[in-house]
Amino acid sequence: MIEARRLHILRAVADHRTVTAAAAALYLTPSAVSQQLTALEQETGHRLVERGARGVRLTPAGEILLGHTHAVLAQLERAEAELAAYGSGAAGTVTVAAFATGIAEVVAPAVARLAGSAPGIRIRVRDAEGDASLPMVLDRQVDVAVAVEYRGAPPADDPRLTHVPLYAEPFDAVVPVTHRLAGRAEVPLAELAKDPWIGPYPGNPCHDVVVLACENAGFQPRLEHSSDDFRAVVALASADVGVALVPRSALRGMDLAGVVVRPVDGVAPTRRVFAAVRRGAEGHPLIRPVLDALRAAAEA
């Protein structure tokens, strides 16, 4: 009989690529993870992982078992959801990880809605970029992630996750008031090819949006200044050290005295925001109202 907790460990090792990283995510020691993998191999009668200088990879037998693991763990999530519904599940804590503007745009309004519609549900919020929040869901550190599509992100049909689309928003061009294009109604990205750029660090999903938009305009942006805080990005632009693309919602309430904000000429770069939970958990009586509140906040 295969133990479900060992399937969790197998998936963590597949996700994180090393025993050490998987152990850290699961709050176990590396030796405990190795012991559980060995026990799982004994249960299945197959070698499941191969260790190398660059980490751990699954064997063909391990890949077969991983495919079943996604289905088994999703079904266990559904079982927990149904049992919680049977027992009413009207009270409890749900942890939501989201990036800063996502918290302002949908998470905080959702918390306010739930205070009236589901007062028994307590929301705990953690600030995390989209590329960090999805692994947090998979590692069971949080229940819900509010994340952004980015290159390398798990796709919408990933068997480990259920995606709930929330909203999409354009990026606007932010240039100094003295910039040669400041008088334009719209800014063509191709005309910013020779400018120094200000943007998020690699790994931040917004970095991917900026780079991809510039690549589609025919150039690689010369990122001379980096910050994940858009207030800092706008402040640097106002100091006339470069240009930037910033999500429209991130600009609300900022001091824009030293910059000009203009739509991008043509197809605007866009970030698409979604909520994600472990597949099977979307029907849980604590999580379902949170997803509904996030959707309602996004629609509003």
Side-chain angles (χ1 to χ4, degrees):
M1 181 70 70
I2 298 174
E3 291 192 19
R5 65 191 176 97
R6 290 177 181 147
L7 295 180
H8 278 292
I9 289 172
L10 179 70
R11 185 157 82 178
V13 168
D15 287 343
H16 293 280
R17 304 295 183 184
T18 71
V19 168
T20 300
L26 298 172
Y27 300 101
L28 297 172
T29 64
S31 62
V33 169
S34 294
Q35 289 169 7
Q36 292 299 317
L37 287 175
T38 298
L40 184 59
E41 289 179 329
Q42 292 173 346
E43 287 174 344
T44 60
H46 292 277
R47 187 179 181 186
L48 302 175
V49 298
E50 292 181 347
R51 293 170 175 80
R54 296 186 177 180
V56 176
R57 68 180 184 87
L58 299 189
T59 65
E63 293 288 354
I64 290 172
L65 183 58
L66 181 64
H68 290 286
T69 292
H70 297 324
V72 169
L73 296 183
Q75 191 60 40
L76 287 174
E77 293 281 357
R78 295 186 189 100
E80 290 180 10
E82 288 189 22
L83 288 171
Y86 178 76
S88 81
T93 299
V94 176
T95 303
V96 180
F99 56 100
T101 50
I103 292 173
E105 288 293 300
V106 292
V107 176
V111 171
R113 287 173 181 271
L114 289 167
S117 62
I121 299 178
R122 176 173 175 258
I123 305 298
R124 181 182 291 122
V125 179
R126 297 179 62 177
D127 189 332
E129 292 298 337
D131 57 328
S133 62
L134 295 176
M136 290 166 73
V137 168
L138 292 172
D139 293 336
R140 306 182 71 86
Q141 297 173 14
V142 302
D143 303 300
V144 181
V146 175
V148 178
E149 291 180 2
Y150 60 95
R151 287 189 284 194
D157 60 354
D158 189 294
R160 302 168 297 172
L161 296 167
T162 293
H163 282 223
V164 178
L166 294 177
Y167 65 94
E169 64 171 327
F171 281 57
D172 288 326
V174 177
V175 301
V177 292
T178 56
H179 194 273
R180 64 187 183 282
L181 301 181
R184 296 279 192 93
E186 296 182 332
V187 172
L189 283 186
E191 294 190 30
L192 299 175
K194 295 183 179 180
D195 285 84
W197 279 72
I198 313 156
Y201 285 99
N204 185 316
C206 290
H207 174 90
D208 289 343
V209 175
V210 171
V211 171
L212 184 59
C214 293
E215 288 175 352
N216 289 339
F219 68 98
Q220 284 282 342
R222 180 162 51 92
L223 284 162
E224 292 196 357
H225 310 281
S226 298
S227 175
D228 289 333
D229 186 334
F230 286 116
R231 289 186 300 272
V233 170
V234 170
L236 287 168
S238 69
D240 201 8
V241 300
V243 299
L245 288 172
V246 177
R248 188 165 290 171
S249 66
L251 293 166
R252 292 178 191 150
M254 280 196 197
D255 180 4
L256 302 175
V259 298
V260 170
V261 178
R262 294 288 184 263
V264 172
D265 187 17
V267 179
T270 302
R271 70 172 173 183
R272 291 172 174 80
V273 180
F274 62 93
V277 299
R278 291 180 294 279
R279 186 162 294 237
E282 62 275 7
H284 194 285
L286 293 179
I287 292 176
R288 186 177 60 250
V290 175
L291 294 176
D292 289 343
L294 289 170
R295 273 191 293 253
E299 291 170 0

